[in-house]
Amino acid sequence: MLDDTQIDELIAHGIDYRGGVDRFGGNAAMFEKFIFRYLNDEHYDLLTQAIEAGDAEEGFRVAHTLKGVVGNLSFSSYFAVLEPVTEALRSGNIDAARRSMPDVEKAHKETVAILGQLS
């Protein structure tokens, strides 16, 4: 189990720890188990590949899935920056999605870094 200092670190990095625990029925151990599983999640890489390939349809599918994953894990800051990418890809606008990807990359790296540090 994470201690209060570690929980504060998650919160400072845009992870709504208390909201996430609530989402997991108050089971902090289960929530923590799932947030650390994100370290092995491949959706960010798949999204990057789809956007690099110019595949808006696949990009939307992956972005939508990734948004669901980070939303369910209460990665609030990450979720917020995925919204414009997801909506751009939904409408087939790969250029708008590309313009928003630096924010997604930053949120992803920050999330992975803090989780890696605490795992």
Side-chain angles (χ1 to χ4, degrees):
M1 291 286 295
L2 297 174
D3 63 33
D4 288 341
T5 301
Q6 292 169 314
I7 291 168
D8 289 344
E9 280 293 312
L10 290 175
I11 293 168
H13 287 87
I15 297 173
D16 180 8
Y17 182 88
R18 289 167 186 82
V21 170
D22 286 347
R23 186 181 300 273
F24 279 74
N27 188 334
M30 178 81 69
F31 174 66
E32 291 175 16
K33 175 181 172 182
F34 277 88
I35 64 170
F36 289 110
R37 281 188 180 174
Y38 181 75
L39 292 169
N40 297 314
D41 189 274
E42 297 178 352
H43 288 97
Y44 171 79
D45 293 331
L46 294 172
L47 174 60
T48 301
Q49 291 167 14
I51 289 176
E52 286 173 359
D55 188 342
E57 185 176 330
E58 176 66 6
F60 170 71
R61 186 190 68 72
V62 176
H64 190 267
T65 301
L66 180 57
K67 194 172 93 168
V69 168
V70 302
N72 284 326
L73 296 175
S74 296
F75 296 172
S76 303
S77 298
Y78 196 168
F79 182 86
V81 298
L82 274 168
E83 183 69 24
V85 171
T86 305
E87 292 310 309
L89 292 168
R90 181 189 308 271
S91 66
N93 190 339
I94 197 80
D95 291 330
R98 283 185 179 124
R99 287 190 299 272
S100 296
M101 280 304 290
D103 292 334
V104 174
E105 179 182 13
K106 181 179 183 225
H108 171 76
K109 286 182 177 180
E110 287 177 0
T111 301
V112 168
I114 191 60
L115 292 174
Q117 178 185 338
L118 297 176
S119 66

